[in-house]
């Protein structure tokens, strides 16, 4: 059983695999979107002044970050129906990924918001902004700049993590690869083909992430001639001791 | 520095009704008694300079006026509002909701030592964001007003710049324009020039002196005695959370009454 370029290229462009790639992309995107929304909600709960909301948020993060996604998926798909909560394959995969990733996003969002300078809150309060306006116009746009790099890395992970959904028979790229390998007896070609597709997806995402980061960094000026405020005013980079 | 040669405008100003009334205010940070029974009345159109050594409570007093800090006793009235608190049916003091406090703050402007411009917004948007989003002034109008303010503070050509592209003095002038865009009745300044390089100090002080000429009520924490001489009606000295001396500028500098004031003056005159 030697290596077959012919099989490899046929797998790469076969409709069967392309549909798997597509499923992986939308599964990752949907779970990411829902996960971010959930993460933002949990983050604000954790930062709220209501004790009960804080506790719920902490417990949520503790639970979903503390157990393997694989087990969460299996439980949602196979155990919950026994107590009357029945979800299909796709729903189970989306729910598990959303809850699991949401717990991580919550911490990323919270860290991003706490990273915004306290003076920004003072200034926006002094201008008469109430909490929703302070958040929407001042804090969140600045937190976004901090959040995007770790969030982007998390999406990179997400693209690959969707392969776990194969255990509950979700027909994404990895499961289709396994099946193709079995049907055609071309294990190496099939798995290498999958590796190439994952690599392509994460590479494209990497490019998108770079542009997003550049976009949000733009107001802060190019790093090389950024003027850093210091105690004695503003120093340009030609003075020694500045990065 | 041009402002040094200005004749004093303070003494000739006619003062109106009380607009800020601080009555027996106490403030604690943990076990640190930061404001001790502070009382102060500032009249409409008055310019008050607040000085005192580091840690004496100047910033805290200013922040309490804008309810950026809570107070533990006494009360503050500003622009017709009882700042930050109301009395419930039993006569107990209750802190206002965030939204109510925000409404009260709209009557006052505040300028910070570290500028605190919004780094993600252009100069123009820094100035228009609150008039547009809070006062619901239409964009065209808000931008026209903002351009007028930028011209007043001497930065007509910087509207599309981001704060990171401006010098400290320019940033502080934008911060003043941003505060003025809300048409405040009182302006609070917390050491507006102490983060600036010396050559930029006068461009900011000139704007502040001009503002005082136009009749703005101002409470200014600063150690710039040139400003105090040129624009202040009164100079107050804070020490350990209390106002220990209060006088017209010339009197304050030439004939300080308390030991605290003499000591303070000898320290700042050394520099
Ligand atoms: N957020 C805070 N938490 C705890 N203590 C504080 C806080 N802010 C100020 N303090 C303390 O309150 C006291 C008064 O501080 P404040 O900042 O009002 O002084 P200041 O007169 O403005 O001094 P400076 O000239 O250094 O600005 C100081 O002892 C300070 O350490
Ligand atoms: Mg201070």
């Amino acid at each position: 059983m030697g290596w077959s370029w012919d099989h490899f290229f046929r797998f790469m462009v076969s409709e069967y695999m392309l549909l798997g790639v597509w499923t992986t992309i939308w599964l990752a995107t949907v779970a990411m979107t829902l996960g971010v929304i959930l993460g933002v909600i949990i983050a604000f709960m954790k930062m709220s002044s209501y004790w009960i909301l804080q506790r719920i948020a902490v417990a949520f993060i503790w639970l979903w970050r503390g157990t393997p996604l694989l087990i969460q998926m299996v439980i949602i798909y196979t155990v919950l129906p026994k107590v009357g909560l029945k979800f299909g394959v796709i729903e189970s995969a989306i729910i598990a990924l959303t809850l699991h990733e949401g717990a991580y996003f919550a911490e990323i969002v919270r860290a991003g918001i706490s990273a915004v300078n306290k003076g920004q809150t003072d200034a926006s309060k002094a201008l008469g902004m109430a909490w929703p306006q302070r958040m929407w116009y001042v804090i969140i746009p600045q937190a976004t700049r901090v959040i995007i790099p770790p969030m982007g890395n998390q999406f990179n992970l997400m693209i690959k993590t969707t392969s776990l959904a194969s255990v509950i028979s979700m027909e994404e790229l990895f499961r289709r690869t396994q099946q193709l390998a079995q049907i055609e007896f071309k294990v190496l070609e099939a798995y290498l083909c999958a590796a190439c597709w994952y690599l392509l997806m994460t590479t494209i995402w990497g490019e998108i992430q770079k542009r997003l980061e550049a976009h949000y960094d733009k107001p802060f000026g190019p790093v090389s001639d950024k003027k850093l405020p210091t105690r004695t005013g503003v120093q340009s980079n030609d003075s020694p001791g500045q990065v | 520095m041009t402002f040094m040669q200005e004749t004093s405008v303070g003494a000739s100003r006619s003062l109106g009704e009380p607009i800020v009334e601080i009555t027996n205010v106490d403030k604690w940070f943990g076990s640190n008694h930061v404001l001790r029974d502070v009382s102060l009345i500032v009249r409409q159109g008055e310019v008050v300079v607040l000085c005192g050594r580091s840690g004496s409570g100047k910033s805290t007093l200013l922040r309490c006026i804008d309810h950026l800090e809570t107070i533990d006793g006494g009360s503050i009235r500003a622009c017709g509002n009882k700042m930050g608190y109301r009395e419930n049916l039993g006569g107990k003091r209750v802190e206002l909701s965030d939204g109510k406090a925000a409404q009260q703050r709209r009557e006052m402007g505040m300028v910070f030592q570290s500028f605190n411009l919004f780094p993600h917004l252009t100069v123009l948007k820094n100035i228009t964001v609150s008039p547009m989003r809070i006062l619901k002034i239409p964009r065209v109008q808000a931008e026209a007003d903002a351009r007028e303010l930028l011209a007043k503070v001497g930065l007509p050509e910087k509207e599309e710049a981001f704060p990171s592209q401006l010098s400290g003095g320019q940033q502080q002038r934008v911060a003043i324009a941003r505060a003025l865009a809300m048409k405040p009745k009182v302006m609070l300044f917390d050491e507006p020039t102490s983060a600036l390089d010396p050559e930029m100090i006068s461009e900011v002080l000139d704007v502040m002196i001009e503002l005082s000429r136009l009749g703005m009520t101002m409470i200014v924490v600063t150690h710039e005695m040139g400003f105090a001489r040129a624009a202040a009606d009164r100079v107050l000295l804070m020490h350990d959370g209390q106002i220990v001396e209060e006088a017209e500028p010339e009197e304050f500098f030439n004939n300080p009454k308390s030991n605290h004031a003499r000591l303070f003056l000898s320290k700042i005159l050394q520099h």
Side-chain angles (χ1 to χ4, degrees):
Chain A
M1 269 219 332
W3 166 263
S4 159
W5 281 109
D6 180 46
H7 278 90
F8 174 75
F9 286 118
R10 265 202 295 125
F11 290 170
M12 278 300 283
V13 296
S14 70
E15 198 185 325
Y16 189 70
M17 289 295 264
L18 287 178
L19 277 173
V21 170
W22 170 240
T23 307
T24 291
I25 291 174
W26 75 249
L27 179 60
T29 309
V30 168
M32 180 78 187
T33 309
L34 296 176
V36 169
I37 294 169
L38 181 69
V40 169
I41 294 170
I42 300 289
F44 277 107
M45 283 169 68
K46 195 170 173 190
M47 289 182 294
S48 91
S49 45
Y50 296 102
W51 167 96
I52 184 81
L53 293 183
Q54 285 175 19
R55 284 304 168 85
I56 294 172
V58 169
F60 179 92
I61 293 169
W62 170 74
L63 182 66
W64 292 95
R65 278 207 321 189
T67 50
L69 175 59
L70 193 55
I71 292 177
Q72 294 164 3
M73 243 177 221
V74 172
I75 288 178
I76 289 172
Y77 184 61
T78 63
V79 182
L80 289 189
K82 299 198 171 107
V83 295
L85 274 170
K86 193 155 168 49
F87 296 110
V89 172
I90 295 173
E91 287 101 318
S92 302
I94 290 175
I95 291 169
L97 282 167
T98 299
L99 295 176
H100 187 82
E101 298 293 322
Y104 282 93
F105 295 156
E107 289 295 273
I108 293 174
V109 169
R110 198 185 54 80
I113 287 175
S114 348
V116 177
N117 192 319
K118 174 86 176 41
Q120 296 291 306
T121 301
D122 284 345
S124 47
K125 275 186 174 178
L127 284 167
M129 294 188 199
W131 188 85
Q133 294 150 342
R134 296 202 293 273
M135 277 298 152
W136 190 251
Y137 297 115
V138 178
I139 308 296
I140 290 176
Q142 292 182 61
T144 305
R145 173 169 178 256
V146 183
I147 287 170
I148 283 180
M151 205 66 116
N153 296 343
Q154 207 66 25
F155 189 59
N156 174 301
L157 279 176
M158 174 81 98
I159 292 171
K160 296 169 287 183
T161 307
T162 50
S163 59
L164 288 182
S166 61
V167 298
I168 56 168
S169 76
M170 176 100 187
E171 292 266 329
E172 43 63 67
L173 180 56
F174 184 68
R175 186 171 173 87
R176 292 215 154 181
T177 306
Q178 286 178 311
Q179 285 171 342
L180 200 63
Q182 278 169 15
I183 298 164
E184 303 255 346
F185 293 109
K186 287 287 176 200
V187 178
L188 193 55
E189 286 82 351
Y191 281 94
L192 219 64
C193 164
C196 286
W197 270 114
Y198 279 116
L199 197 57
L200 195 62
M201 285 188 277
T202 51
T203 306
I204 291 171
W205 171 248
E207 284 303 313
I208 296 173
Q209 185 182 342
K210 240 189 257 168
R211 307 233 158 129
L212 278 174
E213 285 174 19
H215 174 78
Y216 278 92
D217 278 344
K218 210 179 100 207
F220 296 81
V223 179
S224 56
D225 61 12
K226 184 147 67 186
K227 293 184 170 173
L228 299 168
T230 65
R231 265 196 66 79
T232 53
V234 172
Q235 260 174 6
S236 55
N237 68 316
D238 49 22
S239 55
Q242 290 293 338
V243 184
Chain B
M1 287 192 265
T2 54
F3 64 90
M4 289 288 199
Q5 283 104 48
E6 309 279 0
T7 51
S8 170
V9 289
S12 61
R13 223 186 338 258
S14 62
L15 301 177
E17 295 293 301
I19 188 162
V20 176
E21 293 166 80
I22 301 168
T23 315
N24 305 115
V25 165
D26 275 293
K27 169 72 184 169
W28 297 76
F29 280 121
S31 60
N32 188 2
H33 200 173
V34 180
L35 296 178
R36 300 165 184 257
D37 197 29
V38 174
S39 295
L40 170 68
I41 291 181
V42 178
R43 292 171 178 282
Q44 210 155 12
E46 194 175 14
V47 177
V48 172
V49 161
L50 200 58
C51 55
R53 65 169 200 216
S54 180
S56 57
K58 308 177 298 288
S59 299
T60 305
L61 181 59
L62 220 56
R63 293 170 61 83
C64 286
I65 296 174
D66 215 7
H67 195 55
L68 294 176
E69 302 284 354
T70 56
I71 56 178
D72 300 303
S75 68
I76 297 174
R77 289 191 67 83
C79 309
N81 296 312
K82 185 165 158 33
M83 294 301 295
Y85 298 93
R86 63 184 170 82
E87 249 123 58
N88 69 7
L89 292 173
K92 259 193 74 173
R93 235 163 47 106
V94 191
E95 194 173 355
L96 293 181
S97 69
D98 177 70
K100 281 266 162 50
Q103 263 172 13
Q104 295 185 331
R105 293 189 192 106
R106 284 167 210 173
E107 310 281 330
M108 282 185 275
M110 187 151 177
V111 173
F112 301 87
Q113 180 175 357
S114 48
F115 327 136
N116 295 346
L117 290 180
F118 304 135
H120 61 297
L121 298 178
T122 62
V123 164
L124 194 71
K125 291 219 169 94
N126 260 277
I127 301 174
T128 57
V129 61
S130 7
M132 280 174 58
R133 304 302 177 181
I134 300 168
L135 305 179
K136 309 290 179 199
I137 293 174
R139 175 182 298 276
V140 183
Q141 168 89 55
E143 291 186 346
D145 292 350
R147 292 196 177 100
E148 205 171 300
L149 283 167
L150 279 175
K152 264 191 197 153
V153 300
L155 292 168
E157 74 293 6
K158 291 292 187 191
E159 58 180 69
E160 288 309 317
F162 284 102
S164 63
Q165 298 163 325
L166 302 182
S167 73
Q170 292 171 331
Q171 288 190 55
Q172 194 61 297
R173 284 184 282 153
V174 172
I176 294 173
R178 178 177 70 173
L180 291 174
M182 292 296 282
K183 303 201 164 57
K185 300 195 180 83
V186 176
M187 285 284 286
L188 310 170
F189 293 85
D190 190 2
E191 305 206 33
T193 57
S194 55
L196 298 179
D197 288 341
E199 70 271 17
M200 295 174 185
I201 290 178
S202 65
E203 67 189 44
V204 172
L205 291 181
D206 285 342
V207 169
M208 291 167 60
I209 290 170
E210 183 57 28
L211 201 55
S212 75
R213 283 246 164 75
L214 297 171
M216 178 62 77
T217 310
M218 296 163 59
I219 305 178
V220 185
V221 173
T222 185
H223 290 165
E224 291 295 331
M225 293 306 137
F227 173 80
R229 282 208 153 92
D233 297 285
R234 254 193 304 165
V235 181
L236 309 180
L237 179 70
M238 281 197 81
H239 182 83
D240 275 352
Q242 287 179 311
I243 296 173
V244 292
E245 177 125 354
E246 165 176 352
E248 287 189 359
E250 290 313 315
E251 178 78 3
F252 183 87
F253 294 117
N254 300 334
N255 192 13
K257 290 189 281 292
S258 66
N259 275 332
H260 290 311
R262 276 190 286 275
L263 195 65
F264 177 76
L265 282 171
S266 72
K267 284 221 174 97
I268 59 167
L269 292 180
Q270 279 167 12
H271 296 308

